[in-house]
Structure formats: C-alpha cells, structure tokens
Amino acid sequence: MAVEAEKVSRKRFEELVADEGISLAHRALWSALWDGEARVADWLRAQIEDVDLPRRRVYMRESVRADTPEWVPVSELTASLLDRLIGDLTSGPLFSHGPARLTRESASVMARSHAGTSLHAVRSGGLSARWPRAAAEPAP
C-alpha cells in the first residue's frame, strides 16, 4: 500500500506567503522550498552574500546532497520576499530571526504552529505543482 505524502496546495501556499502576520523570514523560506531546487538544510545554510537577486538565484556553497545545483534558481515571488528580507544587509545568515540563524527546529515549529503543516509538505506541494505527472507516477 502506497503512502501519500502530505502536500500543501497552491491555494494554501499563496495564503501562507501573503500572510503579513507570519514572519517574513519564514514566508521567504517557505517560498524558497516551494521552488523546490534545494532542501531545508541547504536554505538554512545560505548567506545573504550568496543571493544574486538580479539573476534570481542563490549559491549553495555547502549543499547537503550532490544533486542540488550549485546555483539554485528562485521564482519571482521568492526573489521579492528575499529582497524584502535582506533589505540593506550585506552579509550574515539569509534566514534569521533577529540575530539568530533560523534552525530546522525553529522553522519546523513555525510551519506546524502557523501553517499547520511541515516544511517537507511545502516543498512537496511545490514539486507537485510543477511536476504533476511525475508526482502521480509511482517510483520505479
């Protein structure tokens, strides 16, 4: 029996990233995860200086998996959120809450408490939205 992975719908994702009551750092992280090219650990390691907003991409200097591209493209939405998040800063952790870098635990708690879902479900939802046929086919 196949187990269906939890996925956030496009509508729910759009509601979450538009919710100004949720921290911008978390909404930007969710949007980056929705884009799907990198995993949570990759995004949480990213530095402000790794972001190339004009080209809408982020350099993954220490990727957790070999199949993650060196430069990860981001959507227009993610680039917009990252631009707001970075502001006038020129260095430091890309995703932080005050002076502290977001951790997997703090990001997971925020996703569960404010979005009612997991970080993986956000990424899975984005992958399914972009590749609906591939998501519906069983793995070989």
Side-chain angles (χ1 to χ4, degrees), residues 2-128:
V3 175
E4 181 67 25
E6 178 186 7
K7 296 177 186 121
V8 171
S9 70
R10 178 178 299 277
K11 181 177 186 241
R12 180 67 177 137
F13 165 74
E14 290 170 353
E15 291 169 352
L16 290 170
V17 296
D19 186 343
E20 295 286 332
I22 298 172
S23 157
L24 179 57
H26 290 280
R27 292 183 293 129
L29 175 61
W30 298 341
S31 188
L33 289 170
W34 182 269
D35 291 345
E37 295 293 328
R39 290 160 179 78
V40 174
D42 294 323
W43 285 113
L44 293 176
R45 276 194 204 97
Q47 296 287 115
I48 289 170
E49 51 270 32
D50 298 333
V51 179
D52 180 354
L53 285 174
R55 291 189 175 130
R56 287 187 11 217
R57 64 186 189 162
V58 178
Y59 180 67
M60 294 292 152
R61 68 177 70 215
E62 297 175 20
S63 179
V64 294
R65 293 202 27 187
D67 63 345
T68 301
E70 182 177 41
W71 283 97
V72 172
V74 296
S75 65
E76 188 173 324
L77 172 61
T78 300
S80 173
L81 291 167
L82 291 177
D83 187 36
R84 288 179 53 204
L85 182 65
I86 293 168
D88 294 333
L89 299 174
T90 58
S91 65
L94 180 56
F95 297 103
S96 61
H97 184 71
R101 179 184 296 270
L102 289 185
T103 64
R104 180 183 285 273
E105 181 180 350
S106 65
S108 294
V109 166
M110 180 64 89
R112 281 280 175 219
S113 65
H114 283 76
T117 192
S118 70
L119 296 171
H120 180 73
V122 174
R123 185 166 185 264
S124 293
L127 289 170
S128 292

